[in-house]
Amino acid sequence: MKIAILGTGMVGRSIAGKLRELGHDATIGTRDVAATLARTEPGAMGTPPYSAWAADHDDVELATFAAAAAGADLVVNATAGAASIAALEAAGSQNLADKVLIDVANPLDFSGGFPPTLLVKDDDSLGEQIQRAFPNTKVVKSLSTLSAPQMVNPLMINPGQPDGSQVTVFLSGNDQQAKDTVADLLRSFGHADVLDLGDISAARGPEMLFPISFRLLGVLGPMFGFKIVR
Amino acid sequence: MKIAILGTGMVGRSIAGKLRELGHDATIGTRDVAATLARTEPGAMGTPPYSAWAADHDDVELATFAAAAAGADLVVNATAGAASIAALEAAGSQNLADKVLIDVANPLDFSGGFPPTLLVKDDDSLGEQIQRAFPNTKVVKSLSTLSAPQMVNPLMINPGQPDGSQVTVFLSGNDQQAKDTVADLLRSFGHADVLDLGDISAARGPEMLFPISFRLLGVLGPMFGFKIVR
């Protein structure tokens, strides 16, 4: 598949790298290609500049949000949650129309420092905001509850454990066929426990896992994940 | 131990019944003893009237909030979240002073029907509200992420699975000794995976698991639980 990944951070890089490994065509989208490539300083949280990552991944193209989305069969929103609607507007609703959009962003407000707070209460979600803003796009919320490395390597936490202990990855979206497409892609990443929560309003649930995730990060470090036992 | 359980619903009954099984002295607290005993109709969600349960549990005393708390070494808040502060005020701060209070309530607003919505955003929690209102009480948030039967029977979901698949139960509180006391009690209930999230502000995390719990209930029915894989 030809896949556009909007966002040049750790999440976008992690997903793009995995998609290339699996033989997909991957283009990363950014607001300003020249500015992204010109940056030489680490970003917030010590993320290495994009150019350093790109040097090892010359099979991943970098393009504007619009060019990346225009050429893609499927689009991944890996931008910061607070900037996602603007990034998708820059990508262009015509370039997103009738396509599956996997929304992996978290609606977090970093304006007050760390830890960030949620931009939504439990009566809305970023997934729904995106679906409302782009009604002709098939939005599927997924992967947002996992760290960037775990998104594409679900066995990294306890590789010696049976499948029953693998982390759960959630799906929310209005279009069943779109969710089936995303579930297949997740399984190709190694996810054995894909759980469909329902329509896009179900995205409220996984988005509100952030407050406990932050606490767990403080207590356990990054090597943890949510498993729904049943 | 002499334990007061405030609240006559499924959660209070479940915990009181288990405490008696384990040989503790259990008193359930209510606003109006005569009114609680006089009710003959099922409550919201089809809960049988208290008197029907009490007929099979004559070793559990029923008393006013204040009388129950006054005689107890440890108190459990199993009232509805929206009514918890009022119930604890009725119990009396002098009757709660220097005691461990396990807060198992969820801050839910049922005024708009089902599903309820959260009464807090991620900048506060019911656990913190109770700790602020009763500064001399050692508040420990716990068990709120589990159904009433699972609180006292953590192996009910997948009894054939190894301990590694058991649900996780969270602890949040400012007093380490109080958390140790609660952890011991939880282990006596059968909980093998007790996870300390930190001070009482960490209660925000588990309280915000409600929106995903509601969706999971719709998809999976009541037989599910959260396991933190690590």
Side-chain angles (χ1 to χ4, degrees):
Chain A
M1 257 194 291
K2 293 184 72 174
I3 302 181
I5 305 96
L6 310 184
T8 59
M10 294 305 286
V11 172
R13 296 176 203 180
S14 183
I15 294 174
K18 183 69 179 184
L19 289 170
R20 282 299 302 140
E21 251 181 69
L22 295 170
H24 296 286
D25 186 271
T27 301
I28 289 186
T30 190
R31 181 164 301 277
D32 181 330
V33 172
T36 298
L37 291 174
R39 234 169 267 136
T40 55
E41 297 295 310
M45 333 279 278
T47 307
Y50 183 82
S51 55
W53 181 84
D56 294 330
H57 296 84
D58 58 8
D59 52 356
V60 175
E61 212 187 320
L62 185 69
T64 62
F65 287 135
D73 306 314
L74 183 149
V75 181
V76 179
N77 174 36
T79 62
S84 290
I85 297 278
L88 292 165
E89 280 168 355
S93 60
Q94 72 287 1
N95 294 325
L96 299 170
D98 301 321
K99 292 179 185 172
V100 175
L101 173 72
I102 311 179
D103 173 31
V104 308
N106 271 307
L108 299 178
D109 178 3
F110 284 88
S111 65
F114 200 83
T117 54
L118 285 166
L119 288 164
V120 286
K121 208 191 155 298
D122 61 327
D123 53 3
D124 200 10
S125 62
L126 178 60
E128 289 164 274
Q129 289 169 358
I130 293 173
Q131 185 62 82
R132 287 196 301 270
F134 301 91
N136 298 321
T137 300
K138 297 159 189 167
V139 180
V140 179
K141 186 93 201 185
S142 194
L143 288 171
S144 60
T145 55
L146 298 170
S147 69
Q150 281 179 52
M151 288 181 182
V152 298
N153 185 7
L155 286 170
M156 69 185 283
I157 295 180
N158 48 2
Q161 296 295 311
D163 273 4
S165 294
Q166 219 188 302
V167 294
T168 301
V169 62
F170 305 103
L171 290 179
S172 312
N174 297 338
D175 187 290
Q176 190 58 52
Q177 215 174 342
K179 286 193 283 193
D180 292 345
T181 299
V182 177
D184 286 346
L185 198 62
L186 293 173
R187 285 189 202 99
S188 76
F189 287 2
H191 287 283
D193 188 16
V194 181
L195 182 50
D196 186 344
L197 293 175
D199 66 29
I200 192 65
S201 72
R204 298 171 194 181
E207 290 187 6
M208 301 200 92
L209 292 187
F210 179 79
I212 195 165
S213 296
F214 168 70
R215 292 293 177 156
L216 290 167
L217 183 66
V219 173
L220 302 172
M223 294 294 272
F224 73 88
F226 298 96
K227 167 78 187 170
I228 304 302
V229 179
R230 70 269 196 193
Chain B
M1 256 194 293
K2 292 185 72 174
I3 302 181
I5 306 96
L6 310 184
T8 59
M10 293 305 285
V11 171
R13 297 176 202 180
S14 183
I15 294 174
K18 184 69 178 183
L19 289 169
R20 281 299 300 140
E21 252 181 68
L22 295 170
H24 296 285
D25 185 272
T27 301
I28 289 187
T30 189
R31 181 164 302 277
D32 181 330
V33 173
T36 298
L37 290 174
R39 233 170 267 137
T40 55
E41 297 295 310
M45 332 280 279
T47 308
Y50 183 82
S51 55
W53 181 84
D56 294 330
H57 296 84
D58 59 8
D59 53 357
V60 175
E61 211 188 321
L62 184 69
T64 62
F65 288 135
D73 305 314
L74 184 149
V75 180
V76 178
N77 173 35
T79 62
S84 289
I85 297 278
L88 292 165
E89 281 168 354
S93 60
Q94 73 287 3
N95 294 326
L96 299 170
D98 301 321
K99 292 180 185 172
V100 176
L101 173 72
I102 311 179
D103 173 33
V104 308
N106 272 305
L108 299 177
D109 177 4
F110 284 88
S111 65
F114 200 81
T117 55
L118 286 167
L119 288 164
V120 287
K121 208 189 155 299
D122 61 327
D123 53 3
D124 199 11
S125 61
L126 177 60
E128 289 164 275
Q129 290 169 359
I130 294 173
Q131 184 62 83
R132 286 197 301 270
F134 301 90
N136 298 321
T137 299
K138 297 161 189 165
V139 180
V140 179
K141 186 94 201 183
S142 194
L143 288 171
S144 60
T145 56
L146 299 170
S147 68
Q150 281 178 52
M151 288 181 182
V152 298
N153 185 6
L155 286 169
M156 67 184 283
I157 295 181
N158 49 2
Q161 296 295 311
D163 272 3
S165 295
Q166 218 187 305
V167 295
T168 301
V169 62
F170 305 104
L171 291 179
S172 312
N174 296 340
D175 188 291
Q176 191 57 53
Q177 214 174 344
K179 287 194 282 193
D180 293 344
T181 299
V182 177
D184 285 345
L185 198 62
L186 294 172
R187 285 190 201 100
S188 76
F189 288 2
H191 286 283
D193 188 16
V194 181
L195 182 50
D196 186 345
L197 293 174
D199 65 29
I200 192 65
S201 71
R204 297 171 194 182
E207 290 186 7
M208 300 199 94
L209 293 185
F210 179 80
I212 196 166
S213 297
F214 168 70
R215 292 293 176 155
L216 290 167
L217 183 67
V219 173
L220 302 172
M223 293 294 272
F224 72 88
F226 298 96
K227 167 77 188 168
I228 304 303
V229 179
R230 70 269 197 194

